[in-house]
Amino acid sequence: MFIIGELINGMYSYIGKAIAEKNKGVIQKYALDQLKAGADALDVNCGPASKQPILDIQWLIETIQEVTDKTICIDSSKPDVIESGLKVTKNKAIINSTTADVAKLDKLIPLAKKYHAKLIGLTISAKGIPQNKDQRLELAAQIVATCSEAGFLLDDLYLDPIVMPVNVAQSQQNEILESIREFKILSEPSPKTIVGLSNVSQGTFVRPLINRTFLVMAQSFGLDAAILDPLDSELMDAGITADLILNKHIFCDKYLEAYRKK
Ligand code: THG
């Protein structure tokens, strides 16, 4: 499982405050803590309160790169903010994200090619978030076809079914899980799959339990990557254990110690 740490997001008040005050120490601590807990990459989002996201995204990325060379996942719905971030990333980045809209795809696929970045495609369109698996697959197929035509390597494409909170979209959870399995048969090589895990538990009282139950279920449907809170050690251990049961890790008595990334 490829883990992207979600905590450097201006939606969290302490990160929003650190961005506004240009407090590098706070950002660098959250970067290093998430990596120490096993994150392979760091999601970076200026948050809704940023008044100058084009500058703030560069400050965030440069601040993080002072302490690590790990992959940066640039999280913004605005292509100009993503491009601004790509200009300062040192290593291969992840663009988070495009939608299935032609205007977005036409802007972001060339950017991904130019900067040799990976690309997350959300199965969402101007019409909004799909209500079932078939609508998700239709949008996923549009994203895959456009990437293919543009010569973008499908290995570098991550499809995201958009996880909805279980308290408002309970009847959709099974369709979201099945989408993960069906996205993988849209092309050869298969696109990869990703979710924003914490979405599933928003507004509920037992968030960690819902997060880790959804994660292991999604892994059994073939999930490749997740944006999540790596500081939740029970979540991380559940993910490692699911990979063990799916035969992606070799069993030994101390498998947790062996597969926790440092
Ligand atoms: N897919 C992709 N990218 C994404 C998402 C996705 N990026 C953003 C988000 N979804 C994933 N990251 C988070 C980060 C935090 C929370 C949920 C998802 C979260 N935050 C608390 C809340 O809203 O209750 C904030 C608490 C606070 O304000 O302190 O749950 O789906 N590709």
Side-chain angles (χ1 to χ4, degrees):
M1 175 77 17
F2 188 78
I3 304 290
I4 303 175
E6 73 180 8
L7 296 178
I8 303 180
N9 188 320
M11 108 173 31
Y12 291 107
S13 52
Y14 48 86
I15 299 292
K17 190 161 172 272
I19 295 171
E21 294 170 355
K22 298 290 173 287
N23 184 336
K24 286 187 178 183
V26 170
I27 303 300
Q28 289 170 344
K29 180 183 185 310
Y30 276 97
L32 293 175
D33 284 355
Q34 292 185 89
L35 295 173
K36 196 164 164 246
D40 301 293
L42 298 170
D43 193 67
V44 179
N45 184 319
C46 303
S50 168
K51 291 192 189 75
Q52 40 171 14
I54 289 179
L55 296 176
D56 285 345
I57 197 78
Q58 291 195 337
W59 178 81
L60 277 170
I61 293 168
E62 284 168 341
T63 297
I64 294 165
Q65 288 180 159
E66 284 177 15
V67 295
T68 178
D69 286 335
K70 279 274 165 107
T71 303
I72 303 284
C73 177
I74 307 170
D75 189 350
S76 173
S77 56
K78 301 192 182 86
D80 52 347
V81 174
I82 288 174
E83 182 164 18
S84 172
L86 286 168
K87 283 183 184 155
V88 298
T89 41
K90 281 196 229 158
N91 296 318
K92 191 172 170 116
I94 303 171
I95 294 176
N96 187 13
S97 49
T98 181
T99 63
D101 288 314
V102 174
K104 271 273 177 91
L105 289 164
D106 284 354
K107 183 111 211 227
L108 289 165
I109 294 172
L111 271 183
K113 287 178 72 175
K114 178 175 173 190
Y115 289 93
H116 306 288
K118 300 189 185 207
L119 179 63
I120 298 176
L122 303 178
T123 54
I124 189 174
S125 70
K127 287 189 221 146
I129 298 177
Q131 299 298 312
N132 57 46
K133 184 182 70 178
D134 286 346
Q135 289 173 5
R136 285 183 162 83
L137 274 166
E138 193 181 319
L139 295 170
Q142 280 169 24
I143 296 170
V144 167
T146 313
C147 284
S148 242
E149 280 159 24
F152 181 76
L153 202 66
L154 294 173
D155 249 351
D156 279 346
L157 175 67
Y158 285 82
L159 290 174
D160 183 332
I162 316 246
V163 172
M164 301 291 293
V166 67
N167 63 349
V168 298
Q170 192 175 359
S171 65
Q172 274 207 56
Q173 299 303 321
N174 200 38
E175 305 242 344
I176 292 168
L177 291 167
E178 284 178 355
S179 308
I180 292 169
R181 179 160 54 211
E182 295 190 23
F183 286 170
K184 313 262 331 170
I185 48 181
L186 281 173
S187 68
E188 184 59 47
S190 282
K192 295 193 170 71
T193 52
I194 188 166
V195 295
L197 182 68
S198 301
N199 301 7
V200 74
S201 64
Q202 270 175 327
T204 68
F205 294 132
V206 283
R207 296 198 67 172
L209 179 60
I210 292 174
N211 288 342
R212 67 178 182 271
T213 304
F214 188 92
L215 178 68
V216 299
M217 292 178 77
Q219 284 175 272
S220 78
F221 281 81
L223 186 72
D224 296 294
I227 303 169
L228 53 70
D229 175 6
L231 303 189
D232 180 344
S233 60
E234 287 180 292
L235 175 65
M236 294 297 281
D237 284 352
I240 292 168
T241 306
D243 273 346
L244 179 84
I245 290 167
L246 291 168
N247 201 26
K248 294 188 176 170
H249 294 320
I250 298 164
F251 180 80
C252 63
D253 287 338
K254 301 217 163 172
Y255 76 89
L256 279 176
E257 286 89 332
Y259 293 108
R260 282 180 188 137
K261 296 166 206 155
K262 298 196 181 70

